[in-house]
Amino acid sequence: MLSTRDLVAGYDERTVLDGLDLDLPADAFTVIVGPNACGKSTLLRTLARLLTPRRGTVLLDGAAIRELPTREVARRLGVLPQSPLVPEGVTVADLVGRGRQPYQRWWRQWSEQDGAAVDQAMRLADVADLADRPVDTLSGGQRQRVWIAMTLAQDTEALLLDEPTTFLDLAHQVEVLDLLHRLRTERGRTVVAVLHDLNQAARYADHLIAMRAGAVVAAGPPRAILTTDLVREVFGLDCLVVPCPVTGAPLVVPAITSPTLAAGASSPATGSSGAVPVGEDAPAGSYPSKGN
């Protein structure tokens, strides 16, 4: 669905992405991971047409996204940027309703379909009980769920989200990722997200993109690419990669470097590579396993 060809992008005099060729699969949950300042958000912003490339192009179903009408792009791509600004005094319902703007015309104002889309989005994001609250009175986690609801109200075929779990406690992080997974599996949405938590990325992603220094180091299913060597190359971290006891997806366990911790630790049984192969027969649990 989305792809880049010879993509060069950056800010002022600094080049962040240099000659990037990338294909993101349709109807999949793609997660972009990597260390800070490696180009994850720059890539997402360029894909979303929020940042103009210096060279190369972003393609949406084979067409150059820069040449498509803005309203068409807004109907096809829902975008949640990092730390969006909250309009002063606007209520939750009003902000979520702004996700319907791509469908408005001077001859077609608010409709029952718009209202139903907003109500459904607020229910899915668990903010329906906050509908009449001003957004600027909410906690950081509540605000994040409201922004997600606005993106869902846009009812696009693809969602691009930059760190959608920011400010959320662990329970709400899981709720948001479960929601995105359901949108992919039950409604056929294409989801592309930047995440910092490598284990959450491995658990939920169908397609994982690992970046370092503005380049893609590896891309593919987490079970195929997430290894101790990859984690060391991308993050500079020594670790074990073991099967998640719930899903069997790769689970990254950092190596112990503190002498105090090491003194009380028991060593897991591993092979000479220092990694336990990811199993295919992990017990089923509450987390998605399809595509991991």
Side-chain angles (χ1 to χ4, degrees):
M1 179 186 185
L2 279 166
S3 58
T4 69
R5 294 294 178 264
D6 191 29
L7 186 67
V8 178
Y11 308 93
D12 299 325
E13 300 301 318
R14 183 169 64 95
T15 297
V16 179
L17 308 175
D18 193 1
L20 200 65
D21 291 321
L22 187 65
D23 294 298
L24 283 76
D27 303 328
F29 192 163
T30 295
V31 177
I32 306 169
V33 298
N36 290 339
C38 72
K40 302 185 299 294
S41 294
T42 301
L43 174 58
L44 197 79
R45 285 173 54 81
T46 310
L47 291 172
R49 214 171 74 163
L50 299 176
L51 181 65
T52 302
R54 295 176 181 172
R55 192 181 75 228
T57 187
V58 174
L59 302 173
L60 178 58
D61 288 336
I65 197 170
R66 282 282 158 193
E67 299 175 5
L68 297 175
T70 298
R71 191 177 295 273
E72 179 183 345
V73 174
R75 288 184 175 184
R76 299 179 65 184
L77 297 181
V79 181
L80 178 63
Q82 198 177 124
S83 303
L85 297 176
V86 179
E88 186 176 354
V90 70
T91 66
V92 168
D94 288 340
L95 183 60
V96 177
R98 297 187 184 194
R100 301 300 298 170
Q101 287 181 351
Y103 302 92
Q104 305 300 309
R105 289 285 198 277
W106 66 266
W107 69 86
R108 180 196 179 281
Q109 297 301 311
W110 195 259
S111 68
E112 291 184 6
Q113 181 181 355
D114 294 322
V118 168
D119 289 343
Q120 181 183 55
M122 289 195 295
R123 286 195 303 272
L124 287 171
D126 193 24
V127 295
D129 59 333
L130 304 174
D132 297 324
R133 292 269 303 275
V135 178
D136 54 13
T137 67
L138 303 179
S139 69
Q142 289 172 324
R143 290 187 192 189
Q144 189 73 352
R145 284 186 284 136
V146 171
W147 283 112
I148 291 171
M150 189 191 77
T151 306
L152 295 177
Q154 202 169 329
D155 195 25
T156 57
E157 60 194 83
L159 298 173
L160 278 62
L161 308 103
D162 195 353
E163 299 183 30
T165 56
T166 298
F167 304 122
L168 300 180
D169 59 38
L170 182 57
H172 280 114
Q173 288 178 28
V174 171
E175 285 182 10
V176 166
L177 293 171
D178 278 347
L179 170 58
L180 295 176
H181 179 263
R182 292 198 306 274
L183 289 171
R184 198 277 292 170
T185 57
E186 298 174 8
R187 304 193 178 201
R189 298 292 194 268
T190 298
V191 180
V192 183
V194 170
L195 292 179
H196 273 297
D197 190 310
L198 187 55
N199 286 327
Q200 288 182 345
R203 177 169 286 177
Y204 284 91
D206 304 300
H207 188 74
L208 191 67
I209 297 173
M211 296 186 64
R212 183 174 180 83
V216 173
V217 177
R223 290 177 187 262
I225 70 167
L226 190 52
T227 64
T228 56
D229 289 341
L230 180 70
V231 175
R232 187 180 299 111
E233 180 180 0
V234 171
F235 293 95
L237 178 70
D238 289 325
C239 68
L240 298 177
V241 177
V242 300
C244 170
V246 177
T247 66
L251 182 68
V252 176
V253 182
I256 295 176
T257 57
S258 166
T260 305
L261 286 174
S266 58
S267 300
T270 64
S272 59
S273 66
V276 178
V278 174
E280 297 295 334
D281 300 316
S286 59
Y287 290 98
S289 58
K290 180 181 179 181
N292 282 345

